[in-house]
Amino acid sequence: MVYLDYSATTPVNIDVLDTFNKVSTGFIGNPNSLHKLGVESKNLIDASTKQIANILKVNEKEIIYTSGASEANNMALKGLCLRYQKRGKHIITTHFEHSSIYGPISYLQSLGFEVDFVETDENGIINIDNLKSLLRDDTILVTIGAVNSEIGILQPINEIAKIVKENSQAFFHSDFTQLIGKKECSLDNIDLISFSAHKFFGIKGIGVLVKKENVDILALIHGGKSTTKYRSGTPCVALIASLAKALRIANENLKFYKDIKDNNNYLKEELLKINDVKINSNEKCIPHIINISVLGVKPETLLHALEEDEIYISTQTACASENSYSKAVLALTNDEERAKTSIRISLSYKTSKEEIDIFIESLKKNVNNLRMDKNENN
């Protein structure tokens, strides 16, 4: 098997799973309970939170546990905008965000919020001057993801955060789901940060919203004691401990960034040898994600053909209608054909050159076969 879909989800690290199992059986008390077992569970949560906060260089009180990045994004956008709506109802974002950003934005629009999309350059990087021009007295929120999940575009988040702070009273949120655990990053000047454990070899079902102390939000889930007033419900001790473990390991594995970049360069060189393959990811993208378009081949058909060879990639248009396309690729390339035929290959420190070779050979074979079938049917 060749797994090249790490940006969708990562396999659980065996040490992380071991932590989850040990905590599940060894810490059975509800952390909200006052007896000894409850206190032991709460103490483990507190220790885990301290580790996470130290790695991220934030305050422990700023950590809010969620079920994942989608909940964290919803909590950040809805919670903040509804809390401060008397100050303004203007939101700024980009055309490269995840659906868990667009979903709550659409909901907020139904409540009367206004949305502007900041312009981007040929590499998908936001135009700072345009961002400045869009900022208004009633701008309540700017939400721009650190890394686009489909193409891998890495935004200059710290520069953006500084611009927002210096030129407005708006709050700044960033979805760090595709950056945490992959590259060193700073959370300075960012009011709200979202991420999920399963993107860096953690367990599905646990994520974080970092909410800086000077920011307030309305809770989405009410009732019941928890680790914070912003998210009610019995905390899952095992998931929280496993998140801390996964983040520690991911932080240690940042040293493999150059190896991933080398594999990225090698893969691109091989892809360029295949006719009608266009690489959509550019030099401004993280090396973990390579988005390509195979012109003349339906992405969902190619995905399933590769699956027959036990090779796993991703596409945003799988099982979609003939008129579907990748909005992110279209926004970047302004090419509808490339937007309709895009697929995503995502790497990790576990990816080997041998796996890339296997993928390339299978891709060549399947692309040729699919084009032959198409010509025969025409």
Side-chain angles (χ1 to χ4, degrees), residues 20-69:
F20 177 84
N21 291 334
K22 287 181 177 177
V23 173
S24 294
T25 56
F27 291 79
I28 63 172
N30 186 321
N32 295 330
S33 298
L34 297 179
H35 53 62
K36 178 183 176 182
L37 296 180
V39 172
E40 288 176 348
S41 292
K42 184 182 183 304
N43 288 342
L44 182 56
I45 287 178
D46 291 344
S48 299
T49 302
K50 184 175 182 178
Q51 291 177 5
I52 294 168
N54 286 340
I55 292 172
L56 299 177
K57 296 181 175 60
V58 298
N59 191 300
E60 296 165 45
K61 295 180 180 178
E62 297 175 336
I63 303 290
I64 303 172
Y65 295 109
T66 68
S67 62

Side-chain angles (χ1 to χ4, degrees), residues 218-235:
L218 295 182
L220 298 186
I221 302 175
H222 299 88
K225 188 178 178 182
S226 188
T227 59
T228 169
K229 67 180 182 179
Y230 297 104
R231 209 269 193 180
S232 296
T234 304

Side-chain angles (χ1 to χ4, degrees), residues 237-251:
V237 187
L239 280 176
I240 292 171
S242 72
L243 168 61
K245 184 65 169 284
L247 188 59
R248 286 204 310 275
I249 295 173
N251 199 50

Side-chain angles (χ1 to χ4, degrees), residues 4 267 271 288-290 292 313 343-347 359:
L4 297 172
L267 175 55
L271 286 168
H288 305 70
I289 297 175
I290 304 175
I292 67 172
I313 59 168
I343 61 174
R344 181 185 68 186
I345 307 143
S346 46
L347 317 176
F359 164 69

Side-chain angles (χ1 to χ4, degrees), residues 332-344:
L332 180 68
T333 66
N334 198 31
D335 187 323
E336 190 171 318
E337 176 64 14
R338 288 171 73 162
K340 285 183 176 180
T341 58
S342 68
I343 61 174
R344 181 185 68 186

Side-chain angles (χ1 to χ4, degrees), residues 103-315:
I105 282 180
S106 294
Y107 170 74
L108 290 166
Q109 284 180 298
S110 73
L111 300 180
F113 285 80
E114 181 185 351
V115 179
D116 275 321
F117 292 85
V118 65
E119 294 175 0
T120 53
D121 65 17
E122 67 277 6
N123 290 316
I125 303 300
I126 75 152
N127 183 314
I128 294 295
D129 290 333
N130 182 244
L131 174 61
K132 286 182 182 179
S133 71
L134 291 176
L135 291 167
R136 310 183 325 208
D137 290 341
D138 64 337
T139 303
I140 191 67
L141 173 69
V142 178
T143 176
I144 297 175
V147 173
N148 168 263
S149 63
E150 193 173 348
I151 303 170
I153 301 165
L154 174 64
Q155 298 290 350
I157 288 298
N158 294 115
E159 180 183 358
I160 294 169
K162 187 177 179 182
I163 292 297
V164 173
K165 292 301 176 189
E166 291 178 349
N167 295 274
S168 75
Q169 296 297 312
F171 295 98
F172 181 50
H173 165 260
S174 186
D175 184 348
F176 266 52
T177 305
Q178 295 291 349
L179 186 59
I180 292 286
K182 294 178 179 176
K183 191 177 190 299
E184 290 187 12
C185 51
S186 169
L187 307 189
D188 293 346
N189 297 317
I190 310 175
D191 298 301
L192 300 146
I193 303 102
S194 313
F195 66 89
S196 191
H198 75 97
K199 301 295 186 179
F200 48 88
F201 300 90
I203 295 175
K204 298 175 184 66
I206 181 73
V208 166
L209 174 65
V210 177
K211 183 197 69 62
K212 297 298 179 64
E213 283 189 283
N214 63 320
V215 182
D216 194 21
I217 60 174
L218 295 182
L220 298 186
I221 302 175
H222 299 88
K225 188 178 178 182
S226 188
T227 59
T228 169
K229 67 180 182 179
Y230 297 104
R231 209 269 193 180
S232 296
T234 304
C236 181
V237 187
L239 280 176
I240 292 171
S242 72
L243 168 61
K245 184 65 169 284
L247 188 59
R248 286 204 310 275
I249 295 173
N251 199 50
E252 293 167 359
N253 287 336
L254 293 177
K255 61 188 176 185
F256 294 111
Y257 188 86
K258 183 182 181 302
D259 296 333
I260 298 170
K261 190 171 181 61
D262 289 342
N263 278 336
N264 174 289
N265 291 333
Y266 176 68
L267 175 55
K268 285 180 177 177
E269 290 172 2
E270 296 302 310
L271 286 168
L272 289 173
K273 297 176 183 177
I274 305 175
N275 290 335
D276 291 328
V277 167
K278 304 293 184 181
I279 299 176
N280 300 317
S281 300
N282 53 56
E283 66 273 12
K284 298 296 184 180
C285 297
I286 61 170
H288 305 70
I289 297 175
I290 304 175
N291 188 288
I292 67 172
S293 293
V294 184
L295 303 183
V297 177
K298 290 183 178 180
E300 63 270 23
T301 305
L302 179 56
L303 181 149
H304 292 305
L306 291 167
E307 186 181 20
E308 292 295 316
D309 291 337
E310 293 190 318
I311 296 172
Y312 301 93
I313 59 168
S314 183
T315 170

